[in-house]
Amino acid sequence: MSTEQPRRPNVVIILTDDHAAHAIGAYGSVVNRTPRIDEIAEAGVRLDNCFCTNALCTPSRATILTGTYSHVNGVTTLETPIDASQPTFVSQLKAAGYRTAIVGKWHMGEGPGHDPEGFDYWAVLRDQGEYFDPQIRTARGVEIVEGYATDVITDLSLDWLDSLEGEEPWCLLVHHKAPHRPWEPDERHRGMYREPIPVPATFGDDYATRGSAAHRAAMRIADHLTLADLKEVPPEGLDYEQAALWKYQRYMEDYLACVASVDDNVGRVIDWLRAHDAFDDTLLMYTSDQGFFLGDHGWFDKRFMYDESLRMPLLVSCPSRIPARSEPLGQIVTNVDFAQTVLEAAGVAPHPRMQGLSIWPQLTSEPDAPTRPAMYYRYFENDDVNHHAFAHYGIRTERYKLIYFYNDGMGLPGSSPHVYPPEWELYDLELDPEELRNVVREPEYRGIREELEVQLWELQAELLDAPHHSQPVPERLRAVTG
C-alpha cells in the first residue's frame, strides 16, 4: 500500500481594492461582465455572505493576513500601520516549507517594522500607489516600473512564479490597486462602458429613518465626487438631479473599466496555472478588501456597515479538493476566517492567536455545515477628514442587523477630535434587504432589539473588544444581574 502523502496545494490569493460583489458577473452583475473572474466560480464555489469586519483598506488587509480583528492586530484606521512581526498565515506557511511572495498593494506602513515580513519576495506599491508607472518597493529600494499598475503587478507576480525551481509548494498574494479611487482605466479598456449604466433602485435614498451618520457622510455622488474623479466638467444646463445622474455614469464608466483590466489579468494568472498544470492543485481565491457603494443610497466609497460596503466577493477554486458547485455557500463568513481556511487547506496548524474559523470543511466536504450565528463589525475612524463617516460597531445575523453609532474617535489616528451623540439603527434584512427602513424605534421590534443587544454584548466579550463607554449594559442582562 502506498504511503505517499498528497501534495500540498499551492495558494494564490488575488485581492482587489474596493471591488464590490455586485460588479462581478458571477454575482449577477447588471452593470458589467467579468468572464475570467467568473471562471473561478465555475471551477469552484461562490460565497454569498462573506463580510469584512472593518470596511477600510488598511484594517481589512491586516485582518486577512493575521486572522485577527482590528482591535487585536492594532490596525484600526488608515493611519495605524501594522506591526509586521506579528504572526500571519503567510509566516505559518513559510515555517512549514512554503515559498512565499506578495506583489502589489500593501498599504500598511513603510519602513522597518512595517515592511512585509514572512515573505521570500515582496514588491509592493508605495502607499496607495499610482495607476500608471507605479513606484515599486522591494527589499532593495524603490523603482519606477513603466506600465499600467494592474498589468505590472501581474507581470511581477508571474515573473516570480517563473523563477521558482523545485517541488515545494508556494503561496502568492496578488494585491491590485484597482478599482480604487480615482478610477483611472488604461487605454485598452477606457470607454468600454459608454452605454447607459443601470442606476440602482436606492440611488435617491433620502435617509429618512436613519441617524445622523448617513446624513453627514461626505460620499454622495451628487455632491462629493471631485473634478479629479470625474476627469471632465459636467455639461452646462443640468439641474441637480440630472447632474447627479451624469456624475454616476462618469464614475461607473471608469470604475468598471478598471475592473475589466483586473478581469483580464485574473485571466493571465489562470492561464499560467493551466499552462503549468497547476490549476487543479492551487487554492485560488478572488476577493476584495471590502465592498463598495456603486451609487447605492446615492453613495460611492465604503466604511458603513450597510451590506453593499460590508459584503466582500469571495470566489474559491481548487478542483482537486473543492467540488465545483452551482449552488453558492450562504453561511456567514468573514475576512477573519481567511487565514485559518488557507492554513487548514495546506495542512498547517493556525497560530493560537487567530480568531477566525476555517471554512475548509464547508468548501470541501460539508457544504451545509454552520459557521457562526452572527458576525461582528467595527469601524473606528470617526469623522475622518475626507468622508466624515462616524465610528460604529454592530452585528449582522442572517435576518437582522443592529448598529451602534458611538461617534467617537477615541483619539485614534485618522479620527477627528469631535464626538457626537450616539445612535442605534436596526434593519430587518428579510423584509427590507436594501436597508431603507431603520426600525430601531418601532414597538414590534423591541424584543428583537433587546435580543440583539445581548448578542452584541456577548460577542464583544468573546472577541475581547471593549464596548464604548456610552453603550449601556443591555436591559436583559441588567435584569439578570440585578
Side-chain angles (χ1 to χ4, degrees):
M1 190 174 86
S2 173
T3 58
E4 184 179 349
Q5 295 295 313
R7 188 181 187 281
R8 293 182 293 175
N10 302 313
V11 178
V12 175
I13 300 178
I14 302 175
L15 177 70
T16 45
D17 198 320
D18 296 343
H19 190 185
H22 52 305
I24 295 177
Y27 283 92
S29 172
V30 298
V31 295
N32 69 328
R33 303 172 303 280
T34 53
R36 303 309 308 268
I37 294 171
D38 297 349
E39 285 182 30
I40 303 173
E42 291 161 6
V45 184
R46 184 187 90 210
L47 287 86
D48 277 2
N49 287 309
C50 178
F51 303 114
C52 63
T53 52
N54 184 349
L56 203 55
C57 306
T58 304
S60 180
R61 291 162 189 275
T63 286
I64 289 170
L65 270 178
T66 65
T68 60
Y69 288 81
S70 299
H71 61 274
V72 170
N73 62 52
V75 183
T76 52
T77 73
L78 291 176
E79 307 298 329
T80 51
I82 194 171
D83 172 0
S85 68
Q86 57 189 302
T88 67
F89 76 86
V90 175
S91 65
Q92 297 292 105
L93 289 176
K94 182 175 170 61
Y98 271 71
R99 277 93 50 92
T100 58
I102 181 171
V103 180
K105 187 167 180 180
W106 176 249
H107 202 218
M108 290 185 287
E110 181 176 333
H114 307 310
D115 286 336
E117 296 185 21
F119 295 93
D120 297 312
Y121 171 74
W122 55 273
V124 298
L125 301 172
R126 300 199 72 180
D127 194 44
Q128 290 280 4
E130 301 86 10
Y131 270 106
F132 293 94
D133 302 335
Q135 299 178 72
I136 300 291
R137 297 176 50 240
T138 68
R140 299 185 305 275
V142 178
E143 177 186 1
I144 294 176
V145 180
E146 292 185 2
Y148 187 62
T150 310
D151 299 329
V152 168
I153 289 165
T154 305
D155 291 343
L156 294 174
S157 298
L158 298 184
D159 286 348
W160 181 74
L161 289 178
D162 285 333
S163 75
L164 298 179
E165 298 178 352
E167 297 300 316
E168 296 86 359
W170 43 262
C171 171
L172 169 64
L173 310 187
V174 184
H175 285 195
H176 288 295
K177 171 185 175 63
H180 192 280
R181 192 181 189 185
W183 314 298
E184 296 175 357
D186 63 357
E187 193 61 39
R188 188 165 77 254
H189 300 92
R190 185 179 293 116
M192 66 181 290
Y193 286 100
R194 289 197 186 278
E195 293 298 318
I197 297 164
V199 179
T202 62
F203 188 76
D205 187 357
D206 62 3
Y207 321 133
T209 66
R210 302 184 203 273
S212 60
H215 294 269
R216 292 179 60 97
M219 357 194 260
R220 285 186 61 83
I221 285 173
D223 303 320
H224 301 114
L225 286 177
T226 68
L227 193 55
D229 298 324
L230 299 170
K231 304 168 188 79
E232 59 182 281
V233 177
E236 293 183 5
L238 300 180
D239 63 26
Y240 182 81
E241 287 75 16
Q242 291 169 333
L245 290 171
W246 182 89
K247 292 174 185 178
Y248 167 78
Q249 295 292 331
R250 280 296 303 120
Y251 155 52
M252 289 294 289
E253 179 183 326
D254 285 349
Y255 177 94
L256 296 176
C258 291
V259 169
S261 179
V262 170
D263 189 65
D264 285 353
N265 279 279
V266 169
R268 293 177 62 201
V269 174
I270 291 173
D271 290 345
W272 189 98
L273 292 172
R274 292 193 188 280
H276 291 78
D277 198 25
F279 184 79
D280 286 358
D281 283 321
T282 297
L283 175 63
L284 175 59
M285 303 170 65
Y286 182 87
T287 188
S288 180
D289 46 10
Q290 64 265 318
F292 211 66
F293 293 109
L294 302 180
D296 316 280
H297 310 289
W299 286 322
F300 64 96
D301 209 67
K302 57 265 184 177
R303 291 171 166 79
F304 280 131
M305 199 184 164
Y306 307 126
D307 268 12
E308 295 89 354
S309 164
L310 186 67
R311 177 172 282 112
M312 304 167 69
L314 181 58
L315 306 173
V316 186
S317 72
C318 187
S320 65
R321 294 161 173 82
I322 298 174
R325 291 197 193 91
S326 57
E327 290 298 315
L329 289 181
Q331 298 95 317
I332 292 176
V333 175
T334 75
N335 55 350
V336 181
D337 302 329
F338 290 12
Q340 284 163 261
T341 300
V342 171
L343 291 173
E344 182 171 355
V348 177
H351 193 279
R353 180 174 183 255
M354 292 178 173
Q355 296 178 287
L357 56 88
S358 170
I359 58 164
W360 189 243
Q362 286 81 359
L363 291 171
T364 55
S365 59
E366 303 176 56
D368 297 323
T371 53
R372 50 168 64 77
M375 60 82 59
Y376 179 63
Y377 178 87
R378 183 163 185 176
Y379 173 79
F380 293 80
E381 194 172 282
N382 188 64
D383 194 31
D384 64 290
V385 66
N386 292 313
H387 298 286
H388 300 285
F390 285 175
H392 57 287
Y393 50 66
I395 60 169
R396 188 197 191 283
T397 69
E398 183 178 341
R399 176 164 180 176
Y400 298 105
K401 182 183 295 179
L402 180 69
I403 310 173
Y404 184 61
F405 286 93
Y406 60 95
N407 303 342
D408 179 1
M410 303 172 66
L412 288 172
S415 295
S416 85
H418 305 299
V419 180
Y420 301 92
E423 298 171 288
W424 290 93
E425 292 184 2
L426 172 63
Y427 297 93
D428 184 336
L429 302 173
E430 182 177 293
L431 301 181
D432 177 29
E434 293 179 324
E435 297 173 273
L436 295 171
R437 179 179 163 220
N438 172 23
V439 296
V440 75
R441 286 181 288 276
E442 297 190 12
E444 61 266 37
Y445 284 92
R446 178 176 177 179
I448 295 295
R449 172 182 171 172
E450 290 177 351
E451 289 175 14
L452 291 170
E453 287 177 358
V454 171
Q455 200 170 355
L456 171 62
W457 190 270
E458 292 176 343
L459 191 53
Q460 287 173 313
E462 176 187 332
L463 299 176
L464 307 178
D465 192 22
H468 187 261
H469 61 78
S470 66
Q471 180 187 348
V473 177
E475 186 175 326
R476 293 190 180 186
L477 291 181
R478 291 201 304 271
V480 170
T481 60

